[in-house]
Amino acid sequence: MEKVNILIIGAGVVGLSIGKYLSEKFEDVIVVDKEDSFGRHTSSRNSEVIHSGIYYPQNTLKAKMCVEGNHLLYEFCERNSIPFRKTGKLVVATNEAEYLYLDELKINGERNHVDNLKIIYQDEIKELEPLVIAEKALFVPSTGIIDTHKLMYKLANQIEENDGFVIYEMEVIEIEYSNGKYLVKFSNGEEFQANIVINSAGIYCESIAKILKLDTIRHNIKIHWCKGEYYKTSKLKNIKHLIYPVPDQNGIFLGIHLTVNLNNDVRFGPNAFYIDEINYRFDESFEDEFYKAIMNYLPLEEGDLHPDDCGIRAKLQGQNDEFRDFYIKEESIKGLPNFINLMGIESPGLTSCLAIGKYVKDILN
Ligand SMILES: Cc1cc2nc3c(=O)[nH]c(=O)nc-3n(C[C@H](O)[C@H](O)[C@H](O)COP(=O)(O)OP(=O)(O)OC[C@H]3O[C@@H](n4cnc5c(N)ncnc54)[C@H](O)[C@@H]3O)c2cc1C
């Protein structure tokens, strides 16, 4: 049996960021993942957007970590030559109710300390994005895009430079807590003893919590899987900014929006629908919903969209629930000292990853 100080479950962008910060300060840090490489789940199935932090309620972890994470991520990219582009984004409004919403969104963003937000009107919108059909928009200059794969590659490298390890094909199937230590068992028969265990298993975080017999319903940390699909198009060229509608009224997702990647490919999505099992099959029955949403703010014709990819959100917010924040806690109070539990790390989890890493380091200080 191997003995380690800190064992982090999950080599997605969040587990790797936690690994980076902890391996700078502590000895014997390992990150384990059940797959054959890093980021095989949500961290490679997202929009790759560095969000600004305008949407989230003030003083929530999502608001604070998104804004801090945005700054940390741009710095990290510059320092480590990770490809990124600060594209800026337009949130566009197409009717009276949405015009008012944009003013509220600007105020909310400013309360969250998002800089340089500006309401702009038709002429300025046309100058920035000639194809967009909208009377009014919120311009958000601090939004950008990033190469997530290179980010994760660098984080994994830094863990190893700090004498930590990232080990693949290690699926955690059992964890026992006794006498202040955790015995972690893997499907390949290996066993590790750890002083500290961190659950950063993304959409599988609830299975890890349940292995430790945490009653997720009683503790109000049940996970709801919410899928999002993308469509790509080659019809729209020379788009420079990300273009978002106003978000859906239930706060489940940001609305079907346009993103460009670092190669300037255009795609739309993700939409949002709750699912009962994890699978990455593409359900084309939502195609009409995409056309209808996009044609509100961009010229598009039937046949212009083609199915692309999909990802799954680990949401604490169920279908009819109110806003839920990230859940990041040390679980002594539930009888599990030195077990740090991350649940519901949905968007803006990529943007927040470095801020989350720092936050977990502070919990252990
Ligand atoms: C469609 C979509 C779009 C998004 N767009 C954005 C965006 O543009 N910007 C943004 O900031 N955020 C975005 N997000 C959110 C962001 O992608 C996630 O918050 C982030 O990737 C979560 O990272 P993670 O490390 O927690 O999870 P993951 O990347 O899923 O990593 C968890 C890891 O745990 C491993 N694991 C699970 N169970 C076990 C086990 N038993 N044993 C060992 N290993 C295990 C898995 O293999 C996996 O690698 C989006 C999410 C979705 C779904």
Side-chain angles (χ1 to χ4, degrees), residues 325-342:
D325 206 358
F326 291 152
Y327 178 96
I328 307 174
K329 286 203 173 132
E330 196 272 347
E331 299 285 23
S332 283
I333 203 161
K334 301 190 182 81
L336 296 168
N338 290 325
F339 175 67
I340 298 179
N341 205 8
L342 287 90

Side-chain angles (χ1 to χ4, degrees), residues 154-173:
K154 188 72 202 174
L155 290 169
N157 267 352
Q158 290 196 348
I159 292 169
E160 285 173 355
E161 280 163 18
N162 295 336
D163 298 326
F165 291 96
V166 186
I167 319 178
Y168 300 108
E169 298 182 322
M170 295 280 282
E171 181 182 13
V172 175
I173 51 165

Side-chain angles (χ1 to χ4, degrees), residues 51-101:
H51 287 298
S52 62
I54 52 175
Y55 297 106
Y56 316 105
Q58 204 185 355
N59 293 325
T60 57
L61 284 181
K62 282 186 179 170
K64 288 192 229 165
M65 294 199 176
C66 186
V67 174
E68 185 187 358
N70 171 293
H71 298 301
L72 289 173
L73 211 45
Y74 282 125
E75 268 168 40
F76 189 81
C77 287
E78 271 177 8
R79 212 172 327 115
N80 295 290
S81 307
I82 291 160
F84 75 98
R85 197 190 313 148
K86 215 183 235 189
T87 54
K89 123 173 174 178
L90 296 175
V91 186
V92 298
T94 54
N95 61 47
E96 285 291 337
E98 292 183 353
Y99 301 158
L100 289 177
Y101 175 84

Side-chain angles (χ1 to χ4, degrees), residues 82-265:
I82 291 160
F84 75 98
R85 197 190 313 148
K86 215 183 235 189
T87 54
K89 123 173 174 178
L90 296 175
V91 186
V92 298
T94 54
N95 61 47
E96 285 291 337
E98 292 183 353
Y99 301 158
L100 289 177
Y101 175 84
L102 283 190
D103 298 326
E104 288 165 19
L105 192 58
K106 178 168 181 281
I107 292 168
N108 195 63
E110 285 166 348
R111 283 195 189 124
N112 288 347
H113 306 291
V114 181
D115 296 330
N116 303 321
L117 297 174
K118 189 179 168 198
I119 297 285
I120 59 174
Y121 295 91
Q122 211 174 18
D123 289 350
E124 215 173 332
I125 296 171
K126 285 277 168 214
E127 253 172 56
L128 292 176
E129 286 299 343
L131 292 177
V132 169
I133 313 151
E135 298 277 329
K136 181 170 171 179
L138 178 63
F139 178 54
V140 188
S142 57
T143 301
I145 50 176
I146 180 171
D147 183 331
T148 313
H149 184 88
K150 294 222 167 79
L151 170 66
M152 288 190 279
Y153 181 80
K154 188 72 202 174
L155 290 169
N157 267 352
Q158 290 196 348
I159 292 169
E160 285 173 355
E161 280 163 18
N162 295 336
D163 298 326
F165 291 96
V166 186
I167 319 178
Y168 300 108
E169 298 182 322
M170 295 280 282
E171 181 182 13
V172 175
I173 51 165
E174 255 183 84
I175 310 175
E176 286 164 15
Y177 175 66
S178 73
N179 297 329
K181 308 263 183 211
Y182 289 89
L183 179 65
V184 182
K185 298 183 181 174
F186 297 88
S187 59
N188 60 9
E190 292 205 46
E191 294 185 354
F192 279 58
Q193 190 190 65
N195 299 323
I196 297 168
V197 171
I198 298 174
N199 175 12
S200 183
I203 49 176
Y204 297 92
C205 62
E206 191 175 5
S207 332
I208 300 295
K210 282 184 169 163
I211 288 175
L212 275 160
K213 305 205 172 35
L214 281 180
D215 182 343
T216 54
I217 295 181
R218 183 162 76 86
H219 295 301
N220 195 20
I221 47 173
K222 187 182 165 30
I223 290 295
H224 305 269
W225 294 316
C226 183
K227 200 164 185 174
E229 295 181 330
Y230 294 92
Y231 279 82
K232 59 189 170 189
T233 184
S234 54
K235 292 289 169 181
L236 302 173
K237 305 271 187 216
N238 298 321
I239 305 271
K240 305 262 181 312
H241 302 82
L242 311 187
I243 303 165
Y244 285 61
V246 302
D248 93 305
Q249 295 305 304
N250 304 327
I252 305 269
F253 77 122
L254 298 181
I256 292 175
H257 51 268
L258 175 152
T259 52
V260 285
N261 65 13
L262 290 162
N263 297 323
N264 297 317
D265 303 321

Side-chain angles (χ1 to χ4, degrees), residues 9-15 32-35 37-51 170-173 200-204 208 211 226 228 230 244 270 310-313 326 345-352:
I9 305 168
V13 72
V14 175
V32 293
D33 201 287
K34 67 191 179 72
E35 305 294 346
S37 184
F38 54 75
R40 288 281 193 243
H41 289 276
T42 311
S43 296
S44 57
R45 294 174 164 274
N46 59 55
S47 305
E48 301 199 290
V49 173
I50 303 180
H51 287 298
M170 295 280 282
E171 181 182 13
V172 175
I173 51 165
S200 183
I203 49 176
Y204 297 92
I208 300 295
I211 288 175
C226 183
Y230 294 92
Y244 285 61
C310 62
I312 300 173
R313 306 166 177 91
F326 291 152
I345 311 298
E346 54 162 330
S347 190
L350 164 63
T351 309
S352 308

Side-chain angles (χ1 to χ4, degrees), residues 273-335:
F273 53 99
Y274 285 89
I275 53 171
D276 295 328
E277 59 159 38
I278 293 176
N279 72 67
Y280 295 114
R281 283 192 298 276
F282 199 97
D283 180 352
E284 292 190 38
S285 68
F286 296 101
E287 193 172 304
D288 285 349
E289 180 195 321
F290 274 75
Y291 279 106
K292 202 164 158 247
I294 298 160
M295 283 165 160
N296 273 330
Y297 60 92
L298 276 167
L300 208 63
E301 288 174 14
E302 294 288 326
D304 286 350
L305 293 178
H306 303 283
D308 190 25
D309 201 358
C310 62
I312 300 173
R313 306 166 177 91
K315 284 179 92 69
L316 289 167
Q317 182 182 6
Q319 182 86 60
N320 300 310
D321 297 342
E322 301 276 294
F323 170 86
R324 289 293 304 270
D325 206 358
F326 291 152
Y327 178 96
I328 307 174
K329 286 203 173 132
E330 196 272 347
E331 299 285 23
S332 283
I333 203 161
K334 301 190 182 81

